[in-house]
Amino acid sequence: MTLFILGLFVFLFLLWRVVLPLEWKWYFKVLAGVCVFVVGFKFKIIQLIGGNYFAPELPGWFLLGAALVYATAFLFLLFVVVADSILFVITCVKTFYQNFKEKKYDFRQLLRKHPLLNKVHAAGLAIAFLLAILGIYNGLSMPRIREVEVRSERVPAEADGVTLAVLADLHVDRLNNRSKIRKIVELTNSLKPDFICLVGDFSDGAQPHQLETLNELAGLRAKYGVFGVPGNHEYYKGYHELMAHFKKIGLPMLLNENVYFKDLKLRLCGIPDGHARKLGLASPDIPAALAGGDKSDYRILLAHAPKVAHEAAANGADLQFSGHTHGGMVRGFDYLVARSNGGFAWGNYKVGNMLLVMSNGTCMWSGFPVRLGHPAEILLVTLKRR
């Protein structure tokens, strides 16, 4: 429903502000309107021809082309909102000044099209197209390594210096293919972490080619092991097949449970994503995930979505790893993303006595694989006793 409403808004807004003001013959305007309709409802159209807009079975080149067109339209829409607002303010100032100077109170000019409108829109479309190319290039690029040092008196002396590599949002599909995931596995292993944590959105579907790509995760190596939790995309398509496959390749999922490492006095905990409810599966249960041991144990919670951070902190978590937001994707747009994710979008947040460390995501969803200002990353977190 959210994507439908977004598509409807994109279509109606661009039709109103861009297509209708064009000085073209009516049949060219109709054609332009049809194109805007197709772009606006891209996800619904992909669902019709590919089976599912979160995990469409379509060629990679088609998904890439569709993403480029949609990203251009989305960025163009943002440009139009800003540019049209500026032109309207200029028109208002000019109109009021002329009325005041000539003592003629005629405000009809406020409703007229600004003479530069179409030229500004043409320039904006070109800029949006170039930014979309850059954003998709960034979105599909290999992740950087972002190092985070967590200093706390809560870190046990035994765990001082422990390192954890965090991967999020791999979104295995035709674009995030086996070759890329293999390179990410090799890069992660080169960090020689003590733990590897995967915080959801592994795959957009459970087709044979996706399961084969996920086999690469069996190559991850860490001293104390590799652990994961499912994200919301796992529940959209192929959840049971994916969980069975993770078990097959030896990748444990922490579902409202934890693993205790006695020699480190550290408890690694995990919860399923809230979308589990839609399949009638166990909902996130943070108290259960953090249960066991005594208060001196250092508790790390793996949770795909960050919005549970306040509840996690209230229940005694010391550190939380999350992804889901992709960092907000576009600088500036991250503030809107944060509003629907508990106030969190990217970076590190102090929540009560807990630290929330968020990943920008290691890959991107092919539906909107755009990054402008928030690069893909692998987190390397080091625990330090203060």
Side-chain angles (χ1 to χ4, degrees), residues 289-354:
L290 299 173
D294 54 51
K295 293 183 178 180
S296 65
D297 293 339
Y298 191 78
R299 289 170 168 80
I300 301 174
L301 177 67
L302 309 185
H304 176 65
K307 64 174 64 177
V308 300
H310 292 287
E311 184 182 355
N315 280 277
D318 296 290
L319 179 63
Q320 177 180 322
F321 295 142
S322 293
H324 182 59
T325 64
H326 299 182
M329 297 167 286
V330 178
R331 184 73 71 172
F333 189 63
D334 46 7
Y335 295 103
L336 295 177
V337 171
R339 289 180 65 87
S340 60
N341 286 278
F344 311 115
W346 61 278
N348 308 331
Y349 300 85
K350 189 69 175 175
V351 183
N353 294 321
M354 185 191 79

Side-chain angles (χ1 to χ4, degrees), residues 105-120:
Y105 301 100
D106 182 3
F107 296 99
R108 286 177 294 178
Q109 187 177 347
L110 294 176
L111 302 176
R112 294 172 188 160
K113 185 181 77 172
H114 194 283
L116 294 178
L117 186 69
N118 289 343
K119 291 182 179 180
V120 170

Side-chain angles (χ1 to χ4, degrees), residues 368-381:
F368 193 75
V370 175
R371 290 190 182 274
L372 292 170
H374 293 288
E377 62 188 18
I378 296 171
L379 296 177
L380 182 62
V381 180

Side-chain angles (χ1 to χ4, degrees), residues 90-106:
I90 292 173
T91 299
C92 287
V93 172
K94 185 177 179 180
T95 300
F96 279 99
Y97 175 75
Q98 287 178 342
N99 282 325
F100 177 78
K101 183 179 179 180
E102 300 174 7
K103 295 184 179 181
K104 294 180 181 179
Y105 301 100
D106 182 3

Side-chain angles (χ1 to χ4, degrees), residues 17-32:
R17 294 305 306 158
V18 179
V19 176
L20 294 181
L22 289 172
E23 297 171 356
W24 290 357
K25 293 185 181 296
W26 69 268
Y27 41 84
F28 286 125
K29 282 190 177 184
V30 170
L31 180 61

Side-chain angles (χ1 to χ4, degrees), residues 38-40 42-43 45-46 49 56 58-74 132 136 175 366-370:
V38 170
V39 172
K42 168 224 173 186
F43 293 107
I45 292 171
I46 280 183
I49 63 177
L58 296 168
W61 62 266
F62 182 90
L63 295 175
L64 190 59
L68 176 60
V69 172
Y70 188 81
T72 299
F74 185 81
I136 289 176
L175 297 182
S366 62
F368 193 75
V370 175

